């Protein structure tokens, strides 16, 4: 039997040539260049009007209201989602049915229809009384349209409730799936250690479920940013889409003002996507995807090469690659 004393050399692997990828990339690049060309050369877009309007005070004012609607609706939606998800997991049948009916109703009707009803809340109920049912005992009563001094504030609250309650129904299923992704054995082990249900939820289940919950919740936040354009059904007239449409109609130039709103939606969405990326990295730390998912092909090749060099330098492998046993 021949013995080999040479040490194994570092493998310099040549990657497979993917010509189809280059061809498809060239086709996509040509299409993108054509789109950019028509955006720049078509005078009907009126980019001078777009850039002159982009930083006007009324635009920033509308962006502020849009962000308030987005953040407030998501906060309310997350509160309702966590509550409904916990109720769905409860052993109490009444809590489970209430949560099921809530999700069924708000997921089963269009958001635009819900917003119209919220805008007509003062017409449907001229006065709302809170007390003991089927009696004349009233603890508190108020008129919906007279709670706030400003009608804009009233419509803002109606829009916030409409968006938040609707979002809570969708997020509750996301939260429930995240909670169910944690192995039940961990909950049983925590109960054996004497932990209460609330401690198990806060310390065991939620931290692990967040890795599943955060990505779709980020998508829902971005979707909510664009859904705020539907609050004209309430009607709430201070958000970005309504303001730019109103300016465009009054000046008979709708296209450039639509571009203004589109640009700002893209800017805010890009910021939210960056925040979502870092949140996913934070809650996904320790997993394989969080370590290698964002590495480039060249970085992965350097990592493999450095690992092989470290193994060879440690002298833990035998000189004879054909040795059949470890002495």
């Amino acid at each position: 039997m021949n013995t080999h004393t040479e040490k194994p050399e570092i493998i310099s692997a040549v990657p497979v040539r993917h010509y189809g990828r280059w061809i498809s990339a060239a086709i996509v690049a040509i299409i993108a260049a054509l789109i950019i060309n028509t955006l720049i050369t078509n005078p009907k877009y009126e980019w001078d009007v777009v850039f002159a309007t982009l930083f006007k005070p009324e635009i920033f004012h509308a962006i502020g209201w849009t962000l308030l609607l987005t953040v407030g609706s998501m906060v309310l939606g997350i509160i309702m989602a966590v509550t409904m998800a916990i109720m769905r997991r409860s052993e109490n049948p009444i809590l489970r049915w209430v949560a099921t009916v809530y999700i069924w109703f708000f997921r089963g009707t269009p958001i635009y229809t819900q917003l119209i009803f919220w805008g007509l809340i003062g017409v449907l109920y001229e006065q709302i009384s809170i007390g003991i049912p089927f009696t004349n005992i009233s603890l508190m009563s108020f008129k919906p349209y007279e709670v706030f001094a400003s009608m804009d504030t009233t419509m803002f609250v109606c829009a916030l409730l409409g968006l938040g309650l609707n979002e809570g129904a969708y997020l509750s299923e996301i939260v429930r799936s995240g909670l169910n992704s944690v192995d039940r054995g961990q909950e049983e082990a925590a109960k054996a250690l004497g932990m209460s249900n609330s401690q198990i939820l806060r310390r065991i289940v939620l931290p692990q479920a967040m890795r599943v919950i955060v990505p779709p919740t980020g998508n829902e936040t971005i979707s909510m940013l664009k859904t705020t354009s539907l609050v004209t059904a309430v009607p709430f007239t201070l958000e970005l889409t309504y303001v730019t449409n109103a300016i465009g109609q009054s000046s008979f130039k709708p296209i450039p003002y639509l571009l203004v709103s589109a640009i700002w939606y893209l800017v805010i969405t890009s910021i939210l996507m960056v925040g979502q990326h870092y949140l996913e990295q934070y809650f996904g730390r320790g997993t394989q995807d969080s370590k290698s998912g964002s590495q480039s092909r060249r970085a992965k090749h350097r990592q493999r090469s450095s690992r092989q060099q470290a193994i060879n330098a440690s002298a833990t492998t035998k000189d004879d690659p054909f040795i059949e046993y470890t002495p």
Side-chain angles (χ1 to χ4, degrees), residues 35 74 135 143 164 244 310:
I35 294 173
M74 288 305 300
T135 65
K143 295 182 178 180
T244 52

Side-chain angles (χ1 to χ4, degrees), residues 73-74 163 190 203 282 290 327:
S73 301
M74 288 305 300
L163 293 173
R203 300 181 180 181
Y282 176 77
S290 65

Side-chain angles (χ1 to χ4, degrees), residues 57 79-80 84 95 106 128 156 200 203 227 244 247 249 264 326:
I79 293 172
M80 293 301 300
M84 292 300 118
L95 294 180
F106 283 99
I128 298 176
F156 173 79
I200 294 172
R203 300 181 180 181
T227 306
T244 52
I247 298 174
Q249 291 173 5
W264 277 114
T326 303

Side-chain angles (χ1 to χ4, degrees), residues 24-43:
S24 60
I27 294 173
V28 171
I30 292 171
I31 295 174
L34 291 174
I35 294 173
I36 294 172
N37 178 68
T38 187
L39 287 174
I40 295 174
T41 58
N42 192 338

Side-chain angles (χ1 to χ4, degrees), residues 161-188:
L161 290 172
L163 293 173
L165 292 176
N166 179 266
E167 185 62 32
Y170 288 92
L171 281 178
S172 64
E173 292 300 286
I174 294 173
V175 173
R176 187 173 67 88
S177 63
L179 297 179
N180 291 338
S181 67
V182 180
D183 186 27
R184 289 280 185 178
Q186 298 191 37
E187 298 183 39
E188 296 173 359

